[in-house]
């Protein structure tokens, strides 16, 4: 039984949101700049994304061949962009001056964890060395390589979702991923040939 103010679309969206909420939260946590997090929590951004989804139900229900996570992700990234414009372009205190060297730590830690999955650490010192190596390798990867690896490993997207998010065929997404992973491993091995 529906309560007052509830519509079939609202119930559909609420059910849908519960299926994908954790994935959207994880993605936003990785993508949200630390400088924006000083103004807005990731949970607040997640709530703004849900509200934006409520305004875009028609978009979410269209094109059933496009994976739902990809549609939700698109709305979440647009919401993130809107919030960056609102908070970082505001004529208030300059948020960019609040930037600190630790701002890249979350992304660097994610890449370090990825490096750890390629070869398991034996000691804490080796782990720290691999983290530094992962940061150096990250700087050498192309944007396309970083993007496909982030989608597959950090956002845990499958090949079909990656293809839809990137606007390419599934076979092309698969090839891009394999090549990016190969380049990442080659750079890691070049950095540490005795690993």
């Amino acid at each position: 039984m529906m309560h007052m103010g509830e519509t079939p679309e609202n119930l559909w969206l609420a059910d849908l949101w519960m299926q994908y909420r954790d994935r959207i939260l994880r993605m936003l946590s990785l993508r949200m700049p630390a400088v924006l997090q000083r103004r807005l929590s990731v949970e607040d951004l997640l709530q703004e994304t849900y509200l934006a989804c409520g305004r875009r139900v028609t978009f979410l229900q269209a094109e059933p061949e496009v994976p739902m996570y990809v549609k939700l992700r698109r709305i979440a990234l647009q919401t993130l962009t809107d919030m960056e414009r609102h908070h970082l372009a505001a004529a208030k205190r300059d948020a960019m001056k609040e930037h600190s060297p630790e701002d890249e730590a979350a992304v660097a830690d994610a890449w370090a964890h990825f490096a750890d999955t390629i070869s398991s650490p034996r000691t804490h010192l080796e782990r720290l060395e691999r983290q530094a190596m992962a940061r150096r390798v990250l700087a050498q990867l192309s944007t396309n390589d970083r993007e496909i690896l982030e989608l597959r490993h950090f956002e845990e997207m499958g090949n079909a979702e990656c293809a839809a998010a990137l606007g390419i065929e599934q076979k092309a997404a698969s090839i891009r991923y394999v090549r990016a992973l190969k380049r990442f491993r080659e750079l890691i091995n070049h950095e540490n040939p005795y690993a």
Side-chain angles (χ1 to χ4, degrees):
M1 178 177 168
M2 284 190 283
H3 298 286
M4 187 173 202
E6 288 182 342
T7 66
E9 290 83 14
N10 289 348
L11 294 174
W12 175 82
L13 180 60
D15 288 342
L16 177 73
W17 188 253
M18 292 313 297
Q19 292 176 45
Y20 292 97
R21 182 191 183 281
D22 291 342
R23 285 183 76 187
I24 297 296
L25 178 62
R26 189 170 47 251
M27 183 273 296
L28 289 173
S29 296
L30 288 168
R31 303 235 178 235
M32 187 175 181
V35 67
L36 180 60
Q37 289 182 35
R38 291 188 178 99
R39 302 281 177 98
L40 184 75
S41 74
V42 178
E43 286 289 338
D44 290 337
L45 180 58
L46 188 69
Q47 181 65 30
E48 291 295 330
T49 299
Y50 180 73
L51 295 173
C53 288
R55 295 186 294 272
R56 310 241 356 238
V57 170
T58 303
F59 165 76
L60 290 171
Q61 292 177 336
E63 301 181 58
E65 69 278 5
V66 176
M68 187 56 68
Y69 174 73
V70 173
K71 294 177 187 179
L72 292 168
R73 181 180 184 274
R74 190 172 297 154
I75 293 172
L77 290 173
Q78 183 59 55
T79 303
L80 173 58
T81 300
D82 293 344
M83 291 296 105
E84 286 177 319
R85 284 187 191 126
H86 175 76
H87 287 280
L88 302 182
K92 300 175 185 172
R93 184 170 53 128
D94 186 357
M96 300 310 283
K97 291 182 180 174
E98 299 170 14
H99 178 77
S100 69
E102 294 81 32
D103 287 347
E104 289 81 24
V107 172
D109 286 346
W111 276 103
H113 177 70
F114 177 60
D116 283 347
T117 65
I118 290 177
S119 57
S120 61
R122 292 185 182 150
T123 65
H124 181 66
L125 180 58
E126 287 176 348
R127 183 175 184 273
L128 293 175
E129 289 172 355
R130 259 196 309 285
Q131 287 177 359
M133 182 175 27
R135 288 185 190 105
R136 288 190 303 271
V137 168
L138 172 61
Q140 297 174 54
L141 285 175
S142 71
T143 302
N144 285 342
D145 287 348
R146 278 194 309 271
E147 181 176 38
I148 191 75
L149 291 173
E150 286 173 355
L151 294 177
R152 289 294 296 266
H153 292 277
F154 303 158
E155 295 188 39
E156 299 175 2
M157 292 173 73
N159 194 55
E161 291 175 329
C162 286
L166 297 171
I168 59 177
E169 297 294 323
Q170 286 190 39
K171 184 175 181 179
S174 181
I175 291 169
R176 184 181 291 185
Y177 170 68
V178 169
R179 287 181 181 164
L181 189 58
K182 181 181 177 197
R183 280 192 275 271
F184 186 84
R185 285 184 173 148
E186 286 171 352
L187 289 169
I188 288 285
N189 289 336
H190 179 71
E191 285 274 333
N192 187 9
Y194 305 108

